[in-house]
Amino acid sequence: MSALTKRTTIYLDPAMHQALQHKALETSRSVSDLVNDAVRKTLAEDAEDLAAFQERVNEPLLTYESLLKELKADGRL
């Protein structure tokens, strides 16, 4: 284990823990590696979502009513 890693305790549902152990055996990886990858992917998705929100922060707001009116005017509703 690298000196740059931090140790933590997490509590998993028994079925989840068993599934992780099986996956670890099948892939010749540790449970820690699997959990780290899953957390990393989740955080990356969150970062992408936040970036998308930031890109659109200056877009004008559109109310539900105005959207309906626009869709009806265009014949799409």
Side-chain angles (χ1 to χ4, degrees):
M1 195 175 300
S2 169
L4 299 176
T5 60
K6 292 288 279 180
R7 184 182 188 135
T8 192
T9 302
I10 60 170
Y11 296 94
L12 300 171
D13 177 90
M16 178 71 67
H17 185 253
Q18 185 177 18
L20 277 169
Q21 287 180 319
H22 285 276
K23 179 80 170 185
L25 287 172
E26 290 173 6
T27 59
S28 299
R29 298 176 66 200
S30 69
V31 171
S32 290
D33 284 342
L34 295 174
V35 171
N36 273 311
D37 282 351
V39 170
R40 191 175 294 110
K41 287 177 185 175
T42 299
L43 293 176
E45 289 173 4
D46 289 348
E48 290 172 8
D49 291 344
L50 290 172
F53 286 128
Q54 191 60 36
E55 288 173 12
R56 300 183 74 176
V57 73
N58 293 322
E59 287 185 8
L61 295 177
L62 184 63
T63 66
Y64 179 73
E65 290 78 15
S66 63
L67 175 62
L68 283 179
K69 185 177 178 181
E70 183 180 320
L71 290 173
K72 286 179 183 178
D74 291 344
R76 294 185 278 171
L77 185 67

